């Protein structure tokens, strides 16, 4: 019963989460008013933490700090309940904790934005400074921190100056009282406690300020990115790195940077007292400290230099990784894993060389900073004694204690300088994005409310874009900014390279669209066509405001919906992709789903429309993605619809259905700009616009343009001529159907052989073809391309010619009076229709097998629990060179620290020698000499001086050796880890990429790799050094008195409890931090890739809100993790204060057996322990936490299953395989993952050598799955595929895929040159490249670029149109010239004219190849030897086109007839 009540209470608490959030905001004193508070009021919430004790119950999901008072904040007591709960129950509950509003991303982002706007308004864009904005953001907290640091420094100096010096002098008198001794010990105790607590306040302020800066700056930057007009030279990988990793730099600079103030104050105070203590010789030690500052400045410059170089190379590697993962399917199909791995390996080698330089410099800085106090004391004392001055134990160890107190300020200085140096690089990168141009709405307004889009003499360009390569040159001192204009670079890049900065800024970009004038009125449908690269997509981008208006006017009036040529799909459910943030209206939603032909798809998904879609829609077919994109547009109920060739990715039936149901019905009354290469749809349009070379060549209604008989008319005629010839070649023209048309239906030709009495089929009235080929329209204006095919057309239409029967496509084409043949109900309804197991449909099943994970595709990121396993450390050591190297590194560390401790021990020994007239005393059963005489009078003074000085030489030599060896070992380990993980990732099967977000993988190779490369070695080095220093410190205290071991027992017990508790908590918090960061990376990546769509729909605020929510979710474990380290530090520092007190008590009560020199030595090491011990323990936990990054990368280096890429077996084929190209599928059954339905269901067919097979079928019928099985992207569940007599399952993936070629539906171009994209591995001569480009009819485009084959291709090939990208991919396949070629909708985005040429090229060039051609345009497969019809994962028809057309019940025939009937109106 009690359990049941507890469960009910838990549920009630969960349900009240929303209320509690509001309550938390209210209780935190956060004002929801948009009015900004001024004066002291704005610090109201911060000052509430100054109240000594605050009482009040905290809400369950409120951040623990909300109710913390002064004492709770100083001692971090507010975190204790959370630490205990994490220790007992894990970190799951933290996911529900809400960050405080004053620390949230939204509040701080808005403040950053306000400050930046004020900065730009005051200083101008060019002179604006992000550093100044950052300072203003944290100014008050920095000032407060500054004053607290002053108090901290006072405590640091007070202990050696006032307490230790007087205490040692008192001990030197010989007669002491217990009361006075205890008073001195109490003073030391209180002074150390004060130093600890003021230090805690400094860190508290620093961490909280850092969290705010990180949240505000990254959120503001992300908001800015979404507002950009264009990304210019920024890549997705670079922006991910900027938002992800550079946010960490800002945090570190804000948290650690203020500690740079410590050094000058401590140094000044220490210098004054050193002169008072030792006279002018005290300045020697001070000057050595001061000399460290120029050294630190040099280190800072070098660190900045190497960091800038490193970031550049890291960005390049992350960008390459991002691109590789995005295009992994193509890379696998082309067997390019090894070459790409080599490319990234080369980049990694360059990165490693830069990292080695930075690591060596950083290691020297850290090591020397720790040794400066020892250097100072050794050189000062040698000079002091050599001058004949008396050096007493009180003077010596007061000075040593003073230097150790100054050591903290110097010890933290390298970290502070490094953080500040790195943040300056980050701020420069931030400013480069913040100064980029934002998208703005058109300034002009329409002249009539009936107008939606109006342009008048408008000329647009893409602006000047700096390519990646030239950006690199620019960064290295040269200026070079080539222009980009829809794929064409200007002719004067050479001149631009030599131009100065001013000239560059004055450069006028070449226009992509010129003198565009048109008006699109409300409710009109405007069709836009033109060849590849004519400027069609640029026109839409101009309307969306993403191009620069050079001259003229543009006005847009109304909300916009946009369907891009390549659909952008988010990693959410199908329904969420369609709704796109709008409320769910079931009736309207279902109507749109039916209109977009998605019903059948939903029924095949395991959870219907609540099924999760993978990143970039990777588990959907091209048609499914496009229809979801279309449904999203229709559901938005916008006033203007911009459709960029939306039907190219869908099959005939679906295209017909969408054209009829969406374009003509659901969007009736809406303003639609419809770009298409499928010319049969243009008759529906109220007006047609024909673009050529960025200009409007023709504009008018379809009938008017046909009458003008110019290029548009020629294009239309060529389109149908081609179809006619395809029918003739395939012998598929059913004459009994064709004879039903009278000649008068075509021309008013009285001499034509006609049968006026012949009737037209019912329901299909005779088409008024004069609308298409208007009366008197001559044929003389047909383009040269179509004239070669003129005779059939002349026979059909020219006056005086005998009337040939019209082909089926012309029977009902473009007839406004004809009805679209209604699709079969089962095609689009959820009834008894075909159930499609889509080729990638990981949507169709859950891997879990139970209801809980139903519809879930993306596998949740794993969270390791428990300690980092020994295997992780073992493997890291092996990667670093093995146990022998590890032992050698540790030995050098040991000797280095031993030399430092040895110097202080020798000083104590020397002081005990006095003037050589020694008495013997016993300490800890050991007899040693003691003399209070002047050591400068000792006869062996020069020998002692030489030995003491040699310690400096020994420390320097060991330091340089240690830095070099440690740097080499750690970077060898991180590079080995990177290489193994990357190799394993690349060898993983497609299932891994289908279920793992790209952002998650990128996070491992960016943020986690950054941890392993930079932070882990730096922390590990300091940790090892500090462990040894703690060891030698305790050894020296025990050397003074064995009683200290007794006092250590309770302290060790307390330490063990804290350590065990903290280790578990810190480890889990660090992992939660990493896990909650991955969705951030994925969201950034997806948002940047879909930035045009986000702009078009006006969803910037929603995506920013999502980012801020994800960032706030990450900020909770992030802040708690760093606060937890301070929680431990305060407690360990207080523990060390107890050690100092215990040491003092032992000295007081055991003074008879201790010399002042030994007492000073023990006390100096005890005081040093106070800061050192907590820092060491914290470093131990944080170092292990950093090792979680090693563990996360190791998981990818070991856990993913691999393909046998280069495994060679006895059945490996000969080098010339396949010689013929015969393919046999025998009962092939295939599913995409275990537990999923079959995508191929016992497919059996054979293809003869050099045979051309056309593969058709509706979306999701299994067409592309044939290719997936052929390339073994997914292994067949059963059955075999045999090529030239060899079972491909017996052949390695590399040997198989390298012998095949594919041109995918989505064209893939890589960042690099055109040459690199055509021939990534330099296997072909330049003449071959130009020949391939010529055959693909894209030679002129490339020749028009300034650098021609060496012209840069930006990320995703965005500086080329989709059609041009497809042609370049075709050229790539031509160069490969494999015996077997698959074309998966390879020409979907190409205009009809170019498609005709390309099809001819394919037939000629690949005449000796076996070809599998998947197509939605049926005319592209009519000339094939045989046609295969796929349905429901099975082959339902497979025969010659003529044979299929002769069957009355042929599915192919039905599809073809549906094509003929498409253009009718409703």
């Amino acid at each position: 019963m009690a359990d049941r009540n507890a469960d009910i209470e838990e549920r009630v608490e969960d349900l009240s989460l929303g209320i509690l959030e509001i309550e938390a905001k209210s209780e935190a004193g956060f004002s929801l008013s948009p009015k900004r508070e001024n004066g002291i009021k704005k610090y109201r919430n911060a000052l509430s933490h100054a109240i000594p004790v605050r009482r009040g119950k905290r809400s369950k999901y409120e951040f623990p700090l909300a109710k913390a008072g002064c004492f709770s904040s100083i001692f971090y007591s507010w975190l204790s309940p959370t630490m205990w709960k994490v220790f007992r129950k894990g970190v799951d509950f933290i996911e529900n904790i809400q960050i405080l509003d004053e620390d949230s991303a939204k509040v701080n982002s808005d403040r950053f934005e306000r400050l930046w706007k004020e900065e730009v308004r005051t200083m101008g864009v060019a002179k604006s400074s992000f550093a100044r904005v950052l300072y203003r953001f944290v100014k008050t907290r920095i000032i407060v921190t500054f004053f607290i640091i002053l108090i901290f420094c006072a405590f640091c100096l007070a202990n050696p100056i006032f307490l230790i010096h007087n205490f040692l002098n008192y001990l030197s008198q010989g007669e002491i009282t217990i009361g006075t001794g205890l008073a001195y010990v109490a003073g030391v105790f209180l002074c150390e406690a004060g130093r600890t607590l003021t230090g805690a306040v400094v860190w508290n302020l620093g961490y909280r300020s850092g969290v705010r800066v990180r949240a505000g700056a990254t959120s503001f930057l992300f908001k800015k990115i979404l507002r950009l007009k264009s990304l210019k030279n920024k890549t997705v990988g670079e922006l991910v790195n900027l938002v992800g990793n550079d946010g960490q730099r800002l945090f570190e600079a804000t948290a650690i940077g203020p500690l740079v103030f410590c050094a000058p104050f401590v140094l000044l105070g220490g210098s004054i007292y050193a002169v008072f203590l030792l006279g002018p010789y005290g300045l020697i030690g001070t000057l050595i400290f001061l000399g460290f500052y120029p050294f630190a400045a040099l280190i800072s410059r070098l660190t900045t230099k190497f960091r800038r170089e490193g970031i550049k190379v890291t960005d390049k590697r992350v960008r390459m990784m991002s691109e590789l993962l995005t295009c992994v399917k193509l890379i696998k199909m082309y067997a390019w894993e090894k070459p790409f791995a080599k490319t990234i390996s080369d980049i990694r080698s360059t990165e490693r060389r830069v990292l080695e330089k930075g690591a060596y410099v950083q290691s020297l800085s850290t090591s020397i900073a720790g040794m400066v106090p020892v250097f100072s004391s050794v050189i000062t004392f040698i000079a002091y004694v050599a001058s004949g001055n008396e050096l007493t134990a009180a003077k010596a160890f007061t000075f040593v204690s003073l230097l150790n107190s100054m050591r903290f300020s110097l010890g933290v200085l390298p970290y502070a300088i490094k953080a500040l140096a790195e943040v300056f690089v980050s701020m420069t990168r931030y400013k480069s994005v913040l100064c980029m141009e934002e998208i703005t709405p058109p300034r002009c307004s329409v002249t009539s409310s009936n107008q939606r889009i109006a342009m008048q003499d408008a000329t647009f360009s893409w602006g000047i874009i700096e390519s990646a390569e030239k950006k690199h040159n620019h960064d290295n001192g040269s200026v070079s900014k080539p222009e980009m204009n829809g794929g064409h670079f200007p002719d004067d890049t050479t001149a631009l390279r030599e131009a100065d900065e001013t000239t560059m800024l004055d450069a006028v970009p070449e226009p992509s669209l010129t003198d565009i004038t048109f008006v699109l009125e409300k409710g009109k449908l405007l069709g836009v066509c033109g060849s590849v690269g004519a400027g069609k997509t640029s026109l839409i981008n101009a309307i969306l405001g993403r191009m620069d208006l050079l001259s003229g006017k543009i006005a847009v009036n109304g909300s916009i919906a946009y369907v891009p040529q390549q659909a952008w799909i988010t990693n959410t459910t199908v329904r969420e992709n369609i709704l796109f943030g709008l409320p769910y209206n079931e009736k309207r939603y279902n109507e749109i789903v039916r209109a977009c032909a998605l019903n059948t798809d939903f029924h095949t998904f395991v959870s219907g429309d609540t099924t999760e879609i993978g990143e970039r829609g990777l588990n959907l077919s091209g048609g499914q993605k496009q229809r979801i994109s279309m449904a999203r547009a229709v559901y938005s109920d916008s006033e203007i619809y911009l459709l960029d060739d939306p039907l190219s990715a869908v099959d005939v039936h679906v295209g017909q259905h969408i054209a009829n149901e969406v374009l003509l019905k659901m969007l009736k009354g809406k303003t639609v700009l419809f770009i298409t290469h499928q010319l049969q749809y243009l008759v529906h349009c109220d007006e047609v616009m024909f673009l050529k070379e960025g200009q409007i060549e023709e504009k008018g209604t379809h009938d008017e343009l046909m009458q003008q008989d110019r290029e548009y008319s020629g294009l239309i005629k060529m389109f149908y001529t081609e179809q006619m010839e395809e029918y003739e070649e395939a012998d598929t023209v059913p004459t009994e159907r064709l004879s039903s048309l009278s000649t008068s239906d075509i021309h008013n030709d009285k001499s034509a052989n006609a049968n006026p009495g012949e009737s037209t089929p019912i329901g299909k009235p005779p088409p008024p073809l004069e609308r298409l080929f208007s009366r008197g329209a001559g044929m003389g204006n047909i383009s040269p391309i179509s004239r070669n095919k003129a005779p059939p057309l002349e026979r059909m239409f020219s006056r005086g010619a005998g009337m040939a029967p019209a082909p089926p496509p012309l029977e009902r084409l473009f007839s406004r009076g004809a009805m679209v043949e209604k699709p079969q109900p089962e095609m689009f309804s959820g009834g008894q229709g075909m159930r499609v197991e889509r080729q990638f449909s990981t949507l169709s099943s859950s891997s879990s097998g139970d209801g809980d994970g139903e519809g879930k595709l993306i596998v949740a990121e794993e969270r390791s629990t428990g300690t980092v396993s020994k295997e992780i450390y073992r493997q890291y050591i092996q990667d670093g060179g093995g146990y022998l190297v590890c032992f050698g590194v540790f030995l050098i560390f040991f000797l280095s620290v031993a030399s430092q401790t040895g110097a202080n021990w020798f000083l104590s020994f020397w002081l005990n020698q006095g003037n050589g007239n020694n008495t013997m005393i016993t300490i800890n059963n050991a007899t040693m000499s003691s003399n209070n005489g002047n050591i400068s009078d000792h006869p062996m003074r020069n020998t002692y001086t030489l030995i003491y000085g040699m310690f400096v030489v020994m420390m320097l030599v060991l330091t340089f050796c240690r830095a070099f060896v440690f740097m080499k070992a750690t970077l060898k380990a991180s590079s080995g880890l990177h290489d193994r993980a990357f190799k394993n990732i690349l060898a993983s099967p497609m299932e891994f990429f289908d279920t793992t977000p790209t952002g998650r993988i990128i996070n491992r190779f960016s943020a986690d790799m950054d941890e392993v490369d930079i932070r882990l070695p730096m922390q590990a080095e300091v940790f090892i050094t500090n462990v040894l220093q703690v060891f030698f410190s305790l050894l020296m205290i025990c050397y003074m008195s064995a009683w200290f071991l007794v006092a250590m027992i309770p302290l060790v017990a307390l330490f063990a409890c804290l350590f065990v508790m903290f280790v578990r908590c810190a480890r889990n918090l660090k992992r939660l931090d990493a896990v909650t960061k991955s969705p951030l990376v994925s969201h950034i990546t997806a948002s940047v890739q879909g930035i045009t769509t986000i702009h078009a729909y006006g969803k910037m605020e929603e995506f920013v809100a999502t980012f801020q929510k994800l960032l706030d979710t990450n900020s909770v474990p992030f802040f708690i993790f760093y606060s937890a380290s301070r929680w431990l530090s305060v407690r360990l520092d207080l523990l060390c204060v107890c050690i100092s007190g215990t040491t003092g008590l032992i000295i007081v009560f055991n003074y008879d057996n201790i010399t002042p020199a030994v007492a000073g030595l023990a006390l100096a090491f005890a005081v040093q322990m106070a800061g050192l011990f907590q820092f060491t323990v914290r470093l131990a936990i944080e170092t292990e936490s950093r090792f979680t990054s090693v563990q996360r990368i190791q998981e990818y280096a070991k856990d993913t299953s691999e393909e046998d890429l280069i495994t060679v077996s006895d059945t490996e084929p000969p080098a010339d395989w396949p010689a013929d190209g015969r393919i046999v599928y025998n009962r092939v059954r295939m599913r995409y993952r275990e537990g999923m339905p079959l995508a191929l269901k016992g497919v059996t067919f054979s293809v003869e050598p050099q045979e051309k097979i056309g593969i058709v079928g509706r979306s999701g019928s299994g067409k592309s799955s044939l290719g997936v099985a052929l390339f073994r992207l997914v292994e067949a569940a059963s059955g075999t595929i045999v090529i030239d007599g060899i079972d491909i399952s017996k052949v390695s993936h590399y040997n198989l895929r390298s012998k095949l070629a594919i041109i995918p539906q989505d064209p893939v171009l890589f960042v690099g040159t055109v040459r690199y994209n055509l021939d990534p591995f330099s296997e072909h001569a330049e003449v071959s490249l130009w020949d391939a480009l010529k055959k693909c009819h894209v030679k002129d485009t490339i020749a028009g670029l300034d650098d021609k084959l060496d012209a840069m291709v930006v990320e995703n090939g965005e500086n080329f149109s989709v059609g041009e990208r497809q042609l370049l991919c075709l050229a790539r396949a031509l160069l490969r010239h494999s015996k077997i070629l698959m074309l998966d909708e390879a020409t979907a985005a190409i205009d009809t004219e170019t498609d005709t040429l390309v099809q001819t090229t394919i037939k000629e060039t690949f005449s000796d190849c076996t070809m599998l051609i998947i197509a939605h345009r049926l005319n592209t497969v009519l000339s094939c030897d045989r046609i295969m019809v796929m349905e429901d994962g099975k082959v339902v028809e497979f025969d010659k086109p003529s044979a299929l057309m002769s069957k009355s019940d042929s599915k192919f025939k039905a599809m073809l007839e549906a094509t003929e009937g498409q253009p009718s109106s409703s």
Side-chain angles (χ1 to χ4, degrees), residues 613-917:
I613 299 176
E615 282 190 326
R616 305 179 309 280
L618 52 80
N619 52 335
L620 298 174
S621 69
Q624 286 170 330
K625 285 190 284 188
Q626 198 64 278
R627 282 179 281 136
I628 289 173
S629 180
M630 177 70 86
R632 174 197 296 156
V634 179
Y635 193 85
S636 69
D637 197 24
S638 302
E639 295 165 312
I640 300 171
Y641 286 80
L642 305 178
L643 312 180
D644 193 353
D645 204 10
L647 304 180
S648 61
V650 300
D651 60 60
V652 175
H653 293 81
V654 175
Q656 171 187 342
H657 177 83
I658 292 175
N660 195 42
E661 296 296 321
V662 176
L663 280 177
L664 302 183
K665 291 183 180 178
M666 299 210 74
L667 296 185
K668 188 174 183 180
K670 301 288 186 180
T671 304
V672 182
L673 190 149
F674 174 52
I675 292 175
T676 185
H677 287 305
Q678 295 175 299
L679 306 181
Q680 65 268 33
Y681 294 116
L682 291 175
V683 72
H684 292 297
C685 301
D686 298 300
E687 194 171 23
V688 177
M689 195 155 67
F690 179 75
L691 295 182
K692 183 178 180 181
E693 296 180 357
Q695 294 181 310
I696 299 176
E697 189 73 10
E698 300 177 51
K699 184 177 65 174
T701 65
H702 172 75
D703 293 341
E704 289 170 353
L705 297 186
M706 291 304 299
Q707 289 175 355
Q708 291 174 13
D709 200 20
R710 294 171 61 196
E711 288 197 44
Y712 175 78
S713 174
L715 196 65
I716 294 289
K717 293 171 184 176
M718 183 190 67
F719 175 70
Y720 294 105
T721 300
E722 178 195 353
Q723 283 205 335
M724 169 65 183
E725 291 192 342
E726 298 287 0
Y727 282 116
E728 288 182 342
E729 289 178 21
D731 192 23
T732 59
V733 183
T735 54
E736 69 277 10
R737 295 286 303 277
L738 302 183
S739 62
S740 63
L741 288 177
S742 66
T743 54
S744 61
D745 293 329
I746 300 174
H747 281 289
N748 248 347
D749 194 340
K750 298 179 182 178
S751 63
N753 274 332
N755 184 357
E758 189 72 25
S759 61
T760 305
I762 297 173
K764 298 174 183 174
L769 284 179
E770 60 274 10
R771 291 187 182 181
L772 178 61
F773 304 123
S774 57
R775 294 175 184 268
M779 297 300 298
N781 229 6
I782 299 178
S783 66
I785 300 162
S786 61
R787 282 180 181 172
N788 294 332
K789 301 187 177 185
L793 198 63
E794 289 170 358
R795 287 198 303 270
M796 290 162 53
F797 302 115
S798 62
R799 294 181 182 270
M803 183 60 203
L810 296 179
E811 184 177 323
R812 293 174 297 277
L813 194 62
F814 293 179
S815 172
R816 292 182 181 268
M819 293 292 293
V820 175
E821 290 185 2
K822 191 171 183 179
Q824 298 300 317
E826 62 268 23
M827 287 168 53
F828 308 106
S829 69
Q832 300 300 316
M834 166 180 70
R835 297 179 62 81
V836 181
E837 281 76 26
R838 170 61 198 132
Q839 56 158 347
F840 283 161
S841 268
T842 39
L843 290 179
S844 302
S845 178
S846 146
S847 58
S848 62
D850 55 32
D852 296 339
E854 199 167 282
K856 193 74 176 170
L857 167 71
I858 300 302
V859 177
E861 184 161 11
E862 62 284 346
R863 295 184 196 169
S864 303
T865 56
T867 59
V868 175
S869 68
K870 294 178 181 177
E871 177 62 24
I872 299 296
Y873 295 112
R874 189 196 67 77
Q875 187 60 57
Y876 185 77
I877 290 170
Q878 289 293 343
D879 287 335
Y883 290 105
L884 189 61
V885 171
C886 180
F887 176 76
V889 170
F890 181 79
L891 181 62
I892 293 177
F893 270 88
F894 184 88
L895 293 175
S896 176
V897 177
S899 64
Q900 297 175 45
T901 307
N904 284 325
W905 174 85
F906 186 80
L907 174 63
S908 172
F909 174 79
W910 187 11
L911 288 170
N912 279 326
Q913 304 308 305
N915 58 13
N917 258 335

Side-chain angles (χ1 to χ4, degrees), residues 99 312 368 382 610 626 666 672 688 789 842 933 1144 1317 1379:
I99 195 76
K312 201 180 301 178
I368 292 175
I382 287 175
T610 60
Q626 198 64 278
M666 299 210 74
V672 182
V688 177
K789 301 187 177 185
T842 39
N1317 273 276
K1379 200 66 179 177

Side-chain angles (χ1 to χ4, degrees), residues 1335-1348:
K1335 289 178 179 178
C1336 295
H1337 308 282
V1338 74
K1339 179 181 178 180
D1340 292 342
T1341 301
I1342 304 304
L1345 305 180
D1346 287 334
D1347 297 325
K1348 297 180 171 58

Side-chain angles (χ1 to χ4, degrees), residues 466-636:
E466 194 175 1
S467 70
E469 182 178 303
K470 289 158 188 167
K471 177 188 170 198
H472 175 74
N473 294 335
H474 175 64
D475 289 338
N476 285 295
S478 64
V479 179
S480 175
K481 295 185 180 179
E483 302 169 13
M484 185 191 79
N485 55 92
H488 303 285
F489 289 80
D491 295 331
D492 305 338
T493 308
T494 305
L496 287 176
R497 285 177 184 159
E498 298 169 357
D500 60 15
E501 187 77 26
T502 307
T503 308
M504 293 302 308
L505 294 173
D506 294 338
V508 178
E510 185 177 327
S512 300
L513 295 172
T514 308
D515 297 331
I516 304 296
T517 299
F518 76 94
V519 174
L520 182 54
E521 296 182 347
K522 183 178 180 180
K524 297 296 184 181
L525 172 59
L526 172 64
V528 180
C529 62
S531 61
V532 169
K536 303 183 294 299
T537 299
S538 294
L539 180 65
I540 283 183
N541 278 283
I543 295 169
L544 291 174
R546 295 186 61 78
M547 296 182 70
D548 294 336
L549 178 64
L550 301 182
S551 63
K553 298 178 181 178
I554 176 175
V556 179
N557 174 31
S559 57
I560 293 176
Y562 171 51
V563 179
Q565 195 168 8
Q566 290 182 297
W568 175 70
I569 304 296
T570 60
N571 180 205
T572 54
T573 65
V574 179
R575 181 183 293 182
E576 287 169 342
N577 266 278
I578 294 173
L579 299 182
F580 211 44
L582 296 177
Y584 177 60
N585 181 321
E586 185 176 1
K587 181 180 177 183
R588 175 170 170 74
Y589 177 82
N590 289 335
E591 288 176 355
I592 291 169
V593 166
R594 184 196 60 79
C596 294
L598 286 166
N599 275 337
T600 302
D601 301 277
F602 288 0
H603 279 76
T604 62
F605 299 162
V606 67
S607 295
D609 64 349
T610 60
T611 304
E612 183 184 11
I613 299 176
E615 282 190 326
R616 305 179 309 280
L618 52 80
N619 52 335
L620 298 174
S621 69
Q624 286 170 330
K625 285 190 284 188
Q626 198 64 278
R627 282 179 281 136
I628 289 173
S629 180
M630 177 70 86
R632 174 197 296 156
V634 179
Y635 193 85
S636 69

Side-chain angles (χ1 to χ4, degrees), residues 271 274-287 380 383-384 387 389:
S271 300
V275 172
F276 171 78
L277 185 68
L278 299 176
Y281 295 97
L283 288 176
I284 295 175
T286 303
L287 289 174
T380 300
Y384 191 74
S387 301
N389 294 299

Side-chain angles (χ1 to χ4, degrees), residues 312-539:
K312 201 180 301 178
V313 182
T314 301
D315 279 347
K316 185 177 179 182
R317 177 176 60 81
V318 172
R319 188 207 73 211
M320 278 290 293
M321 282 287 299
S322 178
E323 187 174 57
L324 184 149
L325 294 170
T326 303
C327 310
V328 68
K329 183 184 174 189
L330 178 80
I331 290 169
K332 283 185 170 295
M333 284 182 158
Y334 272 70
W336 281 348
E337 291 95 334
K338 288 177 66 180
F340 266 89
K342 184 180 184 304
T343 301
I344 289 187
S345 178
D346 291 342
I347 297 173
R348 175 63 188 175
S349 297
T350 304
E351 183 183 25
R352 179 178 170 181
R353 285 194 292 273
V354 176
L355 288 171
E356 283 181 347
K357 295 175 187 176
Y360 188 64
V361 167
Q362 186 62 45
S363 180
L364 283 178
S365 171
T366 305
S367 304
I368 292 175
M371 289 188 293
V372 166
V374 184
F375 291 160
S376 299
S377 61
V378 170
I379 295 172
T380 300
F381 293 154
I382 287 175
Y384 191 74
V385 172
S387 301
N389 294 299
E390 182 180 1
L391 183 66
T392 64
K395 286 183 179 181
F397 286 104
T398 296
F399 189 69
V400 169
S401 296
L402 178 65
L403 293 179
N404 281 335
S405 295
M406 296 167 69
R407 180 180 188 164
F408 171 80
S409 60
L410 269 175
V412 80
L413 190 63
Y415 296 97
I417 289 176
K418 180 177 184 292
L420 292 173
E422 288 189 348
V423 84
F424 276 109
V425 177
S426 296
M427 287 191 292
T428 303
R429 285 152 56 85
Y430 265 58
K431 183 186 173 184
S432 70
V433 175
L434 294 176
C435 291
M436 291 171 70
E437 186 180 1
E438 292 187 11
I439 193 167
T440 54
R443 297 180 181 177
C444 301
S445 57
V446 295
T447 55
S448 167
S449 60
N450 197 42
Q451 296 177 349
R452 288 297 186 198
I453 301 173
M455 290 190 190
Q456 181 179 349
D457 301 324
T459 298
F460 300 91
S461 84
W462 283 106
I464 298 176
I465 293 189
E466 194 175 1
S467 70
E469 182 178 303
K470 289 158 188 167
K471 177 188 170 198
H472 175 74
N473 294 335
H474 175 64
D475 289 338
N476 285 295
S478 64
V479 179
S480 175
K481 295 185 180 179
E483 302 169 13
M484 185 191 79
N485 55 92
H488 303 285
F489 289 80
D491 295 331
D492 305 338
T493 308
T494 305
L496 287 176
R497 285 177 184 159
E498 298 169 357
D500 60 15
E501 187 77 26
T502 307
T503 308
M504 293 302 308
L505 294 173
D506 294 338
V508 178
E510 185 177 327
S512 300
L513 295 172
T514 308
D515 297 331
I516 304 296
T517 299
F518 76 94
V519 174
L520 182 54
E521 296 182 347
K522 183 178 180 180
K524 297 296 184 181
L525 172 59
L526 172 64
V528 180
C529 62
S531 61
V532 169
K536 303 183 294 299
T537 299
S538 294
L539 180 65

